[in-house]
């Protein structure tokens, strides 16, 4: 592998060599080997001999390795390698031979395509040809191969396109070639168009497949151009990429922004300049501000030698929100590899004040001006100014105590540094509740049809919402009837075209969230009265009409009278009559009217405004004369359910004809029924009546005059029908001469009750019937008949009026032959028996061809031989009860059947016995609970020989509020246990015995309660420390309450591993959580247990462990302490607790110009967050700070600054020159820096204030001063440091002295430099009923007089402006020049 083109060497030949062979072997990637021999010697047989072998070799990993061995011999030898090709991957062995001069030379090449460190070791080649070598080792040679590890790449750069620039760092770098077309098979590299890749001074380039390693880029790339041209070539695909490699330069920020404090609402441009190779990219970041809304501008510039990147971040607008740390970062990459980055940061600070602050009047305003972030800029001062530029605070806190509405405005916080100042503004708005007041009279009268305007003035902030409400409280909206015009402090409601319903109170309501204010005025609309209401006709006859009414709205004017007029269209030409009635009347009667005539009646009310606009008209009529009583001329019945009636009536011209007839009919003993009949009829048939019933009938006529009198009653009876045929006629042979005949009644009795039945019978074939009359039953026995004869029988029914049709004939033959005694009764059974009676029944058998006559029952007792009784019963009886028997006695009973021939041929005797008496009531001697579901009971009973023993016992038990249950117990027992009961339940128990006599009486109730079980465990859900000294424990109720509701839970606690548990609480049953605070220490392990109790038993405790955390350092205050209510010597400090565990607070204060070493310190208990500092110096700045303390440590102090007020000063304002007698004047005591106190007025001489003086707080009002009013008046203010006073001398002079003083020359007055314009507005309101033209002329004259007087006064007025409306006249005047004003001027003009 030598690149040397010239080589000189010497061969030491063995002794057997007779010829010298000189050869030159070339090996490269294209030619594996060639042999050029100058001399060849040939020998017939020679052992193998290695002529050339490799030396020990060292190569780098990733390179190609070729090892060559040359041997000769005769025959030609075979060369083998160790290790072989299977042991070393990427290994190929190439063998070739050549013959020169009869000698055969063998060349073998071992090639490793890609060396790796694990290929290092001993390699050997051996030549053999079957001839034993003469000397040992002559045919074999070994040598060492060492593969060095490839130096690692610190950075890798990918070449992905042709003619690509690659900038590498000053470190071992790899160039990765990524050619298209798939995985390469063989790469070669060239550098600067040269294929020589190897050692270049101290720089080594390794050709490693697709990667080219540049171990020392600085050494390789130094030179004039500093650029290395490389090319990677894929020999398989025959494609290549060419790249240019150069050294990179790290990115450097050569210029960056500095820390800055600036004002808000500005545009700030931050510039960052960087350079590097390749040219870097600049990015901007911040700590928390979103930069997406800001613009960034980037460009590149060059100074002819170097190129720079310039990036500008534009922050617009600046605000407190944009206060942040901003960083510009310059970074560069090459072929996907980062070349490093660098950054520069600056802090932007914008003063933080709220843009707007709203504060309620009479409260304290406190606004803090602060900066966020740590900046290197040094602040020299911070102060606040108001909208006039006056400094109101010399520190960062703007504080106004008891702020008033006139302090609203824009306040500016200025922060000054050595080089600049920045400002931030806060708009302060003082809010106050509204005040509303009606302008003008409180009561207004208006005329219907005209308009009226109501005015209301108001103030308030936020600007109040103004509404008008009407008489019903409804809110009024603008519409054609109502017009509302409002400004920021004035509103008018105009009511157009007044109507009656506009009367009422109108309220102007001003509302904001601080309060509501309203003011009302009353409006009365005068209108004619309403028409009367509820006009009703109270009575009518044929000649009179009575009516009544109610008054409605009087039109806001008293009613003078009531007018009633009437007329009838039935009597044309007859004038109506008018009545005038006093207004107190509410009813009237019109008399002398025509019968049966229509009338129109008008009712109207009259007040001072006139008649009712809508007269009430009532249409009615008089009644005609009523009909006379009619006469019923006939009432008869021709059908059983109908009565026909005929009547007559006397007619009269004064009577209206009958419209209808009312027919009243009433059955005997019943209620009357009415039916209406057409008026033109004189005959009517009453239908649907009852047959055979006496009815009373009468009638009366109805016409327009009403119901006339009834006729007298007329009576008649409806007819009856014949009954229908009796049913089910049957016959039975009773004996040898008698037949029993039976039947059912007819379905229809014909309208009357069946009176009796009639039977006719005859011998068949005989023509005449024999009658049996007046049979009142449904059967009859016909006797004295002939035996062995056939009879034919029929029955008819009679209802007292008619007979029914005869029934169809029934034949019966009397057959006496073959009559026998009846069979004895069968199936005799005892159906019931008790101690004194036996009930039995039986069936009859063959009657012996003769009906049974009777049944005979006899009985006797062996226990009582003297007793025995016989019963004879009717033959159709099949049961009987024997009573009056002896208890517990045996009886023999015999039943005998009898027919016409005699008694039963066989006698049947039944043996039975009466029952013994029932048991007496037992006595329960004990009832006790033996478990939660069992009650044991014992009882006793008195035994009597007349009682049979108990067969069983019925035990009845009832739970409280439940239903009873029974259980049957063996009769021999006297003790029993009730099971399956409910736990903890009260039971009532009784029992009764059962013997053969039946169920005996029950014992009295005995009560007891089952036992309750212990509840199951109340499972603790969680036991967690709420803080260091409290534990919250929660639990679930027991799954089983033990049979009784849980009454309470017991909460217990102890230190883990300690002694007994201590009870901390007993909570109610429905509570499942409790917070334990008593005795809980921080940082301690506890055991908590919960026990459930149902009042009868307690559960097993549930247990859980919990550890309270140790108390950590206390939290500092999160908000600065606030100072309010400051006076000249006191201040109230308040703060918000930061939470956590606090034992107490430490409060310190000091004058602001002193250090904290001499501060006054107070300890404030943890429950208090307010403290009053007293004994302060007036008008002094103080610092106050508060920290929190607990047993662990103390927090940092949080401080605040406040200023005490200046001591109060007094000044009395009043007239400085004598005032005339009778003058009204006011003295005002002005208190500067005074707070929450009152002013007291007095006289210096100790006398009381004169009667004309009225003290109203800071004002002293004089209604009419007199000469004796003169004197010295003292205003006393009770300040916090003591009362202070100020005196004022009031001088009152009479007219003479004033006249004398008026002769003195007037002092010259120099007008002030500032012009003060005057404006006078006069509004004249017009009253109702005044002629408009007259009023306008009068007002115009008055206004002109006033104008002329003003023209002559020191206040020169000009430009009178007039504004006339139907109800008002206004005049506006303005001054033309500056005027000297020494006191406020008020002018009032009233017309």
């Amino acid at each position: 592998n030598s690149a040397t083109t010239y080589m000189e060497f010497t061969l030491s030949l063995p002794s057997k060599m007779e010829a010298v062979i000189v050869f030159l072997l070339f090996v490269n990637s294209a030619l594996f080997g060639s042999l050029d021999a100058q001399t060849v010697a040939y020998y017939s047989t020679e052992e193998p001999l290695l002529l050339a072998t490799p030396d020990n070799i060292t190569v780098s990993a990733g390179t190609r390795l070729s090892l060559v061995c040359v041997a000769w011999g005769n025959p030609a030898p075979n060369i083998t390698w160790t290790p072989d090709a299977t042991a070393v991957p990427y290994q190929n062995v190439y063998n070739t031979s050549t013959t020169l001069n009869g000698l055969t030379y063998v060349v073998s090449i071992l090639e490793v395509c890609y060396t790796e460190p694990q290929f290092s070791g001993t390699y050997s080649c051996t030549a053999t040809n079957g001839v034993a070598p003469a000397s040992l080792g002559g045919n074999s040679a070994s040598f060492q191969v060492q593969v060095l590890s490839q130096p690692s790449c610190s950075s890798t750069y990918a070449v992905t396109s042709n003619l690509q620039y690659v900038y590498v760092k000053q470190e071992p770098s790899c160039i990765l070639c990524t050619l298209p077309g798939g995985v390469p098979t063989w790469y070669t590299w060239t550098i600067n168009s040269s294929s020589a890749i190897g050692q270049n001074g101290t720089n080594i380039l390794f050709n490693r497949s697709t990667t080219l390693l540049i171990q020392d880029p600085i050494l390789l790339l130094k030179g004039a151009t500093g650029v290395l041209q490389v090319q990677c070539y894929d020999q398989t695909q025959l494609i290549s990429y060419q790249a240019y490699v150069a050294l990179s330069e790290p990115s450097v920020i050569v210029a960056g922004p500095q820390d800055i404090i600036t004002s808000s609402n500005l545009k700030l441009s931050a510039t960052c300049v960087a350079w590097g190779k390749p040219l870097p990219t600049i990015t901007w970041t911040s700590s928390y501000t979103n930069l997406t809304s800001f613009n960034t501008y980037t460009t590149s510039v060059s100074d002819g030698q170097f190129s720079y990147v310039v990036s500008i971040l534009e922050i617009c607008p600046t605000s407190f929100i944009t206060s942040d740390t901003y960083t510009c970062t310059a970074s560069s990459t090459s072929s996907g590899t980062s070349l490093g980055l660098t950054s520069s940061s600056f802090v932007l600070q914008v003063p933080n004040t709220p843009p707007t602050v709203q504060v309620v009047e009479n409260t304290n305003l406190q606004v803090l001006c602060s900066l966020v972030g740590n900046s290197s800029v040094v602040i020299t001062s911070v102060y606040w100014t108001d909208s006039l530029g006056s400094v109101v605070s010399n520190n960062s806190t703007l504080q106004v105590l008891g702020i008033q509405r006139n302090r609203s405005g824009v306040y500016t916080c200025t922060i000054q540094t050595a080089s600049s100042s920045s400002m931030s503004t806060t708009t302060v708005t003082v809010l106050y509740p509204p005040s509303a007041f009606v302008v003008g009279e409180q009561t207004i009268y208006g005329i219907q049809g005209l308009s009226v305007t109501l005015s209301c003035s108001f103030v308030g902030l936020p600007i109040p919402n103004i509404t008008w409400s009407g008489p019903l409280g409804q809110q009024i909206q603008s519409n054609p009837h109502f017009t509302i015009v409002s400004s920021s402090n004035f509103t008018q409601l105009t009511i157009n075209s007044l109507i009656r319903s506009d009367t009422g109170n109108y309220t102007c309501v001003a509302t904001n969230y601080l309060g509501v204010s309203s003011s009302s005025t009353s409006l009365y609309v005068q209108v004619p009265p309403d028409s009367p209401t509820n006009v009703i006709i109270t009575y009518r006859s044929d000649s009179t009409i009575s009516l009544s009414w109610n008054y409605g709205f009087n039109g806001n004017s008293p009613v003078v009278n009531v007018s009633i007029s009437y007329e009838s269209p039935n009597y044309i030409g007859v004038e109506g009559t008018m009545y005038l009635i006093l207004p107190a009347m509410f009813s009237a009667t019109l008399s002398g009217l025509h019968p049966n005539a229509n009338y129109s009646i008008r009712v109207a009310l009259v007040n001072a405004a006139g008649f009712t606009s809508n007269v009430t008209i009532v249409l009615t009529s008089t009644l005609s004369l009523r009909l006379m009583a009619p006469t019923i001329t006939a009432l008869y019945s021709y059908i059983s359910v109908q009565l026909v009636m005929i009547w007559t009536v006397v007619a009269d011209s004064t009577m209206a004809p009958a419209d209808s007839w009312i027919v009243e009919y009433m059955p005997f003993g019943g209620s009357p029924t009415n039916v209406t009949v057409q008026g033109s009829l004189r005959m009517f048939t009453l239908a649907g009546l009852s047959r055979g019933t006496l009815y009373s009938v009468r009638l009366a006529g109805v016409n327009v005059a009403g119901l006339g009198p009834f006729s007298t009653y007329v009576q008649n009876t409806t007819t009856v029908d014949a009954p229908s045929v009796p049913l089910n006629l049957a016959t039975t042979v009773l004996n040898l001469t008698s037949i029993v005949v039976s039947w059912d009644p007819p379905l229809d009795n014909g309208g009357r009750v069946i009176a009796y039945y009639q039977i006719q019978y005859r011998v068949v074939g005989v023509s005449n019937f024999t009658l049996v009359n007046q049979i009142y039953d449904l059967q009859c026995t016909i006797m004295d008949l002939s035996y062995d004869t056939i009879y034919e029988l029929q029955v008819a029914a009679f209802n007292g009026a008619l007979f029914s049709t005869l029934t169809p004939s029934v034949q019966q033959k009397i057959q006496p032959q073959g009559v026998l005694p009846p069979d004895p009764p069968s199936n005799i059974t005892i159906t019931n028996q008790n101690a004194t009676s036996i009930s039995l029944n039986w069936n009859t058998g063959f009657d012996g061809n003769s009906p049974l006559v009777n049944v005979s029952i006899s009985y006797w007792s062996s226990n009582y031989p003297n007793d025995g009784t016989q019963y004879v019963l009717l033959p159709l009886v099949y049961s009987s009860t024997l009573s009056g028997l002896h208890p517990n006695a045996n009886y023999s009973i015999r039943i005998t059947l009898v027919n016409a021939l005699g008694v039963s041929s066989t006698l049947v005797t039944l043996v039975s016995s009466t029952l013994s008496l029932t048991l007496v009531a037992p006595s329960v001697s004990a009832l006790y609970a033996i478990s939660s579901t069992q009650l044991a009971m014992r009882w006793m009973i008195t035994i009597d020989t007349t009682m049979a023993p108990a067969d069983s016992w019925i035990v009845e038990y009832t739970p409280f509020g439940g239903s009873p249950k029974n259980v049957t117990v063996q009769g021999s027992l006297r003790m029993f246990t009730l099971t399956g009961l409910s736990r903890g339940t009260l039971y009532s128990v009784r029992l009764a015995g059962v013997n053969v006599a039946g169920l005996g009486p029950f014992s009295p109730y005995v009560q007891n309660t089952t036992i309750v079980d212990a509840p199951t465990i109340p499972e603790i859900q969680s036991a967690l420390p709420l803080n260091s000294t409290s534990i919250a424990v929660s639990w679930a109720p027991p799954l089983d309450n033990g049979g009784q509701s849980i009454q309470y839970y017991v909460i217990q606690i102890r230190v883990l591993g300690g002694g007994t548990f201590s009870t901390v609480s007993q909570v109610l049953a429905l509570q499942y959580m409790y917070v334990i605070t008593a005795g809980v220490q921080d940082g301690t392990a506890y055991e908590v247990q919960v026990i459930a109790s149902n009042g009868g038993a307690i559960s097993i405790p549930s247990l859980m462990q919990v550890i309270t955390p140790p108390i950590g350092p206390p939290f500092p205050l999160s908000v600065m302490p606030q100072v309010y209510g400051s006076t000249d010597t006191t201040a109230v400090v308040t703060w918000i607790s930061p939470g956590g565990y606090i034992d107490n607070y430490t409060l310190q204060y000091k004058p602001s110009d002193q250090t904290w070493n001499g501060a006054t310190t107070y300890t404030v208990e943890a429950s208090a967050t307010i403290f009053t500092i007293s004994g302060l110096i007036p008008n002094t700045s103080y610092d106050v700070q508060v920290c929190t303390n607990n047993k662990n440590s103390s927090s940092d102090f949080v401080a605040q600054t406040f200023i005490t007020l200046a001591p109060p000063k007094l000044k009395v304002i009043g007239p400085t020159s004598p005032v005339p007698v009778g003058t009204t004047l006011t003295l005002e005591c002005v208190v500067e820096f005074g707070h929450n106190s009152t002013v007291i007025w007095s006289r210096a001489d100790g006398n009381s204030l004169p009667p004309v003086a009225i003290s109203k707080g800071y004002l002293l009002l004089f209604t009419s001063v007199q000469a004796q009013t003169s004197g010295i008046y003292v205003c006393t203010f009770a300040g916090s440091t003591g009362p202070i006073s100020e005196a004022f001398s009031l001088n009152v002079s009479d007219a003479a002295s004033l006249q004398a003083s008026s002769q003195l020359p007037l002092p010259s007055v120099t007008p002030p430099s500032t012009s003060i314009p005057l404006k006078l507005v006069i509004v004249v309101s017009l009253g109702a009923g005044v002629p408009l033209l007259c009023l306008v002329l009068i007002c115009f004259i008055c206004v002109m007089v006033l104008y002329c007087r003003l023209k002559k006064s020191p206040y020169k007025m000009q430009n009178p402006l007039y504004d006339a409306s139907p109800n008002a006249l206004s005049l506006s005047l303005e001054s033309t020049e500056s005027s000297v004003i020494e006191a406020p001027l008020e002018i009032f003009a009233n017309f």
Side-chain angles (χ1 to χ4, degrees), residues 307-361:
S307 295
Y308 302 91
V309 175
V310 180
S311 180
I312 300 174
L313 173 64
E314 186 179 83
I315 302 174
C316 180
T318 57
S319 67
F320 163 69
I321 299 176
T322 61
S323 296
D324 201 350
T325 299
Y326 296 85
T327 302
C328 68
T329 301
S331 61
S332 58
T333 59
S334 174
S335 301
T337 298
S338 174
L339 299 178
L341 53 86
T342 184
S343 62
S344 176
S345 300
F346 74 96
V347 176
L348 170 63
Q349 292 179 301
V350 180
N352 174 27
T353 61
T356 59
V357 172
Q358 292 184 339
V359 61
V360 179
E361 190 175 35

Side-chain angles (χ1 to χ4, degrees), residues 1231-1315:
V1231 183
E1232 297 181 0
F1233 312 115
H1235 309 280
N1236 302 326
S1237 190
T1238 58
V1239 169
I1240 300 174
W1241 287 94
S1242 62
R1243 290 180 65 116
D1245 55 10
N1247 295 327
S1248 59
L1249 295 176
V1252 297
I1254 302 173
S1255 176
K1256 289 190 175 181
Y1258 294 90
L1259 301 179
L1260 183 61
L1261 309 178
F1262 292 88
T1263 57
S1264 178
V1265 296
Q1266 305 298 323
Q1268 61 270 26
T1269 311
S1270 297
I1272 298 176
Y1273 291 86
V1274 179
C1275 165
T1276 302
F1277 175 77
S1280 58
T1281 58
I1284 58 174
S1285 301
E1286 181 71 13
F1288 181 83
S1289 179
L1290 176 63
N1291 188 4
V1292 181
S1293 299
D1294 54 15
S1297 60
L1298 286 178
Q1299 179 68 27
S1301 64
S1302 64
Q1303 304 302 320
L1304 298 176
L1306 293 174
S1308 61
V1309 179
T1310 303
S1313 59
T1314 302
S1315 175

Side-chain angles (χ1 to χ4, degrees), residues 849-1190:
N849 295 320
S850 176
L852 296 178
V853 177
N854 54 46
V855 179
S856 173
I857 301 177
S858 59
Y859 61 91
W860 62 95
S861 173
S862 59
N863 305 98
Y864 301 93
N866 295 325
D867 291 346
T869 303
Q870 181 170 346
Y871 289 84
V872 177
L873 306 176
L874 292 176
L876 297 180
V877 175
Y878 298 95
S879 63
S880 179
T881 298
L882 308 180
S883 57
L885 306 182
H886 295 281
N888 199 22
N890 296 321
Y891 280 89
S892 299
I893 305 170
R894 180 175 295 166
I895 303 175
T896 303
L897 303 180
V898 181
N899 66 2
L901 190 60
V903 298
S904 302
S905 58
T906 304
L907 299 179
V908 178
T909 301
L910 178 67
V911 177
S912 183
S913 62
T914 54
L915 301 180
S916 63
L917 294 177
T918 56
L919 294 169
V920 297
S923 174
V924 180
S925 58
L927 179 67
Y928 53 93
I930 60 176
S931 73
S932 60
T933 59
Q934 293 179 331
L935 285 175
M937 60 183 298
R938 297 179 185 272
W939 64 92
M940 300 181 297
I941 187 169
T942 303
I943 303 299
D944 190 338
T945 57
T946 62
M947 295 186 298
D951 296 326
S952 60
W953 301 96
I954 302 298
V955 179
E956 178 188 287
Y957 59 99
T958 306
F960 180 76
S963 301
K965 295 181 180 180
N966 293 334
V967 60
T968 301
V969 181
Q970 186 178 347
S972 59
L973 297 179
R974 295 296 182 271
M975 183 178 72
F976 183 69
T977 299
L978 294 169
T979 61
L981 307 182
S982 298
R983 300 175 298 185
T985 304
L986 176 66
Y987 280 88
S988 300
V989 181
R990 67 175 182 171
L991 81 159
V994 179
N995 64 1
V996 292
L999 177 66
F1002 275 92
S1003 67
Y1005 279 109
V1006 177
Q1007 292 182 328
N1008 209 338
T1009 304
T1010 53
I1011 302 172
V1012 295
D1013 293 332
T1016 56
I1017 297 176
E1019 201 68 40
I1020 294 181
Q1021 303 293 317
S1022 64
L1024 301 172
L1026 286 182
N1027 50 46
S1028 300
T1029 58
S1030 61
I1031 297 172
V1033 57
S1034 64
W1035 61 90
L1039 297 178
D1040 183 3
N1041 61 12
Q1044 187 165 296
S1045 299
I1046 300 299
Q1047 302 296 315
Y1048 57 86
Y1049 295 94
V1050 178
I1051 316 300
Q1052 296 181 332
I1053 190 172
R1054 72 176 179 186
V1055 177
L1056 182 64
T1060 60
F1061 281 91
S1062 60
T1063 300
V1064 295
S1065 181
Q1066 181 174 300
V1067 299
L1068 297 178
L1070 297 180
Q1071 184 175 340
Y1072 304 115
M1073 194 192 87
Y1074 183 76
V1075 177
I1076 305 172
T1077 57
V1080 178
Q1081 302 294 326
D1082 64 298
T1084 307
Y1086 288 96
E1087 288 180 309
V1088 179
Q1089 65 180 18
V1090 179
I1091 302 172
S1093 173
N1094 58 14
I1098 61 174
S1099 69
I1100 298 173
S1102 62
L1103 188 66
M1104 182 171 285
Q1105 296 180 1
V1106 60
I1107 300 177
T1108 57
I1111 295 176
F1115 298 119
L1117 300 185
S1118 57
V1119 179
M1120 289 190 302
Q1122 303 296 312
V1123 180
Y1124 72 95
S1126 176
T1127 67
D1128 50 349
T1129 60
T1130 63
V1132 178
V1133 183
T1134 182
W1135 59 91
I1136 299 174
S1137 172
Y1141 186 83
I1142 299 174
D1143 289 334
N1144 52 53
Y1145 299 93
T1146 298
L1147 181 143
Q1148 295 180 336
Y1149 73 92
K1150 66 175 182 63
S1152 298
D1153 57 356
Q1154 298 180 11
T1155 64
W1156 286 106
N1157 294 331
T1160 303
T1161 302
Y1162 292 96
T1163 299
V1164 184
E1165 61 185 30
S1167 60
T1169 56
I1170 187 171
F1171 187 80
T1172 300
I1173 305 174
S1174 58
L1176 303 178
I1177 301 173
N1179 197 23
T1180 303
S1181 175
Y1182 282 89
D1183 296 332
V1184 62
Q1185 62 182 11
V1186 179
C1187 76
T1188 56
N1189 310 303
N1190 62 20

Side-chain angles (χ1 to χ4, degrees), residues 1341-1352:
I1341 294 171
C1342 294
V1343 169
M1344 291 306 298
V1345 170
L1346 175 64
Y1347 174 68
C1348 293
R1349 293 176 64 88
L1350 291 173
K1351 289 287 288 183
K1352 297 178 180 180

